[in-house]
Amino acid sequence: MAPARLLAAAASLSAAACDPDSSNEAPLSAVGWHGAIVAACLLVGVLTFFGAGTGTASTPQHKGLAEERYFQKLLEPDDESKFSGKGDGFSWSQTVSEVVVEVPLPAGARARDVACRVLPASLSLAVCGQAVLQGSLLRKVLPDDSDWVLEDAPGQGEGRLLRLTLVKRSPTAGLQHWTSVLAGASSG
């Protein structure tokens, strides 16, 4: 039975249960209390399934998104520190669409002292001839959208840092987030 027809039938039966003097074609005596209870349950079930009156989406495809968010929240670990970390000479964090690597620079380091090459699946980053990160990335990035800048380090006085922003090829959330920058590394 189509949802609209089911809803109409359930509404008719539940109206009969609530008002025995109504002029419905199916009075309560013909339906019986059991039928009225079943109709009321059907009505509640249909309204719940389609999200009527709850402020949630009423189409099945939106219901799937709400369920995905619900289960993602259940599956997300309480400790999100595994989605960021520190490595030897750098720290990293991420958003849905980017991974940000910060490298403290030695005194006097300038842009010409940075050698950075970002490819879709690999990264090579060296500062003053010292390799900081080199190898295969955990996941693919968009090299043309990724970039790096030199900035004053917050709270570090005269210190500076290199901030490398890698744009993820595919956005991530929750358990899909990167667990490291390079493949095979635990947090680095």
Side-chain angles (χ1 to χ4, degrees):
M1 187 179 274
R5 293 171 96 195
L6 183 63
L7 186 59
S12 171
L13 289 174
S14 61
C18 294
D19 184 12
D21 296 328
S22 69
S23 60
N24 280 335
E25 294 175 6
L28 184 58
S29 59
V31 175
W33 282 104
H34 295 293
I37 292 171
V38 169
C41 290
L42 283 174
L43 179 62
V44 168
V46 168
L47 291 175
T48 302
F49 179 78
F50 287 103
T54 62
T56 60
S58 61
T59 61
Q61 86 184 71
H62 287 103
K63 184 177 188 247
L65 293 174
E67 285 175 354
E68 182 178 331
R69 275 189 237 114
Y70 171 77
F71 287 112
Q72 187 66 41
K73 202 156 182 57
L74 286 178
L75 296 173
E76 282 181 10
D78 293 334
D79 182 17
E80 296 218 5
S81 64
K82 75 179 213 177
F83 301 128
S84 63
K86 292 185 185 273
D88 190 23
F90 70 96
S91 62
W92 69 279
S93 61
Q94 67 186 301
T95 64
V96 169
S97 59
E98 298 176 339
V99 173
V100 178
V101 177
E102 293 182 344
V103 180
L105 296 174
R110 301 174 68 173
R112 67 176 176 220
D113 298 321
V114 176
C116 183
R117 183 169 185 198
V118 179
L119 296 174
S122 65
L123 170 67
S124 175
L125 174 63
V127 177
C128 297
Q130 300 256 350
V132 177
L133 279 167
Q134 189 166 354
S136 296
L137 292 166
L138 184 67
R139 299 209 182 107
K140 293 191 177 187
V141 298
L142 301 172
D144 293 337
D145 296 338
S146 301
D147 65 352
W148 59 270
V149 296
L150 300 182
E151 306 178 338
D152 292 331
Q156 300 279 331
E158 303 255 340
R160 297 182 74 192
L161 62 87
L162 176 139
R163 184 184 308 263
L164 168 63
T165 303
L166 301 168
V167 178
K168 298 175 181 178
R169 178 175 279 177
S170 301
T172 62
L175 294 175
Q176 298 171 344
H177 270 325
W178 292 27
T179 54
S180 65
V181 177
L182 298 178
S186 60
S187 66

